Amino acid sequence: MTNPKSFFNSSDLFESALIHRSYCNEHPGIASNERLEFLGDSVLSLIISARLYYLLPNSPEGELTARRSSLVQTSSLATKAADLGLDKLLKLSHGEEDSGGRANTGLLANTFEAVLGALFLDSGLAICEKYLFEIFPDTDLTSPSSLKDPKSLLQEKAQSLGWGTPNYKLLESSGPDHAKNFTIKVTIGRKHTAEGIGTSKQRAETVAASAALEKYFPD
């Protein structure tokens, strides 16, 4: 997958998008990437919405909304962030590092949006579009699977093989109350399992479902 830094003119802006708020606690005077995340969220929504509008001229609003929601949900963006190598570049506090911050789906998704916000400030909307079109090819946007969230898609595929309804179980919760991580295991049939970690039980279940899809239904 493309190297996000190669799209930037300013390396400082790119680096600023990688600063988690926990890092700022140990390095006073440095700003976190939260404002960039706020900006990137809107840029992402605009570009994906416009692309869906032009790619699917006969689709009603409800379908376009469902596709966009599936494409930009936390688990999807976290996967893209990891594919781009952003998890390895994040600047975290020692505590966040030790608690598994680099695998935190919410944190990774936020970083993806922060990088996009920084790119918008650096190079404008047209470059952001070029960047996102490499990450989200047209086939991803128009795929039937983009109409379903990972949990629904996993249930559909599992039941089609007679594996029954996926069962989600909380394995562990860790971290302080304001920054908990949840580990969920999903079991399909008797012995098919996968795990996911997230900042809420719902996010962890979604990540676990995505992991199961990649493991057992790669196509």
Side-chain angles (χ1 to χ4, degrees):
M1 190 172 281
T2 187
N3 176 9
K5 190 173 182 178
S6 66
F7 284 81
F8 280 79
N9 295 309
S10 169
S11 58
D12 289 344
L13 264 174
F14 176 69
E15 294 296 332
S16 67
L18 303 172
I19 301 174
H20 185 250
R21 66 176 180 270
S22 66
Y23 184 84
C24 301
N25 295 332
E26 297 178 354
H27 299 80
I30 296 179
S32 77
N33 63 3
E34 291 179 326
R35 283 169 54 83
L36 291 172
E37 174 202 335
F38 163 78
L39 180 59
D41 176 69
S42 295
V43 174
L44 176 65
S45 181
L46 172 61
I47 292 175
I48 294 297
S49 296
R51 193 61 180 160
L52 287 170
Y53 181 87
Y54 288 114
L55 283 174
L56 302 166
N58 298 316
S59 295
E61 177 197 2
E63 178 183 334
L64 297 177
T65 299
R67 288 184 182 276
R68 182 184 63 194
S69 297
S70 176
L71 290 162
V72 304
Q73 65 179 311
T74 299
S75 60
S76 173
L77 296 186
T79 298
K80 299 293 185 183
D83 289 344
L84 290 165
L86 298 179
D87 55 332
K88 300 178 179 64
L89 300 175
L90 273 169
K91 296 180 180 179
L92 305 171
S93 68
H94 295 298
E96 190 68 39
E97 181 86 48
D98 293 341
S99 65
R102 295 189 189 279
N104 185 308
T105 54
L107 193 156
L108 289 175
N110 292 344
T111 304
F112 181 94
E113 292 176 339
V115 168
L116 185 60
L119 183 59
F120 175 77
L121 294 178
D122 179 86
S123 302
L125 191 62
I127 297 299
C128 288
E129 288 180 333
K130 181 179 179 181
Y131 171 67
L132 284 178
F133 292 168
E134 289 193 19
I135 298 171
F136 294 97
D138 290 352
T139 50
D140 281 3
L141 273 66
T142 58
S143 168
S145 64
S146 71
L147 278 171
K148 296 184 176 71
D149 63 272
K151 290 180 65 176
S152 297
L153 189 59
L154 178 62
Q155 179 169 321
E156 177 183 292
K157 289 182 175 294
Q159 290 180 339
S160 71
L161 294 178
W163 291 0
T165 301
N167 177 60
Y168 296 88
K169 180 181 179 181
L170 176 65
L171 295 181
E172 181 186 13
S173 62
S174 60
D177 290 340
H178 67 280
K180 276 192 174 297
N181 281 320
F182 298 88
T183 302
I184 294 285
K185 180 173 79 171
V186 59
T187 302
I188 318 105
R190 293 184 177 180
K191 59 181 180 179
H192 302 90
T193 65
E195 294 182 10
I197 300 174
T199 54
S200 69
K201 292 180 182 178
Q202 183 177 7
R203 285 178 177 173
E205 288 178 356
T206 299
V207 175
S210 296
L213 287 169
E214 291 178 8
K215 187 176 182 180
Y216 300 112
F217 308 98
D219 297 329

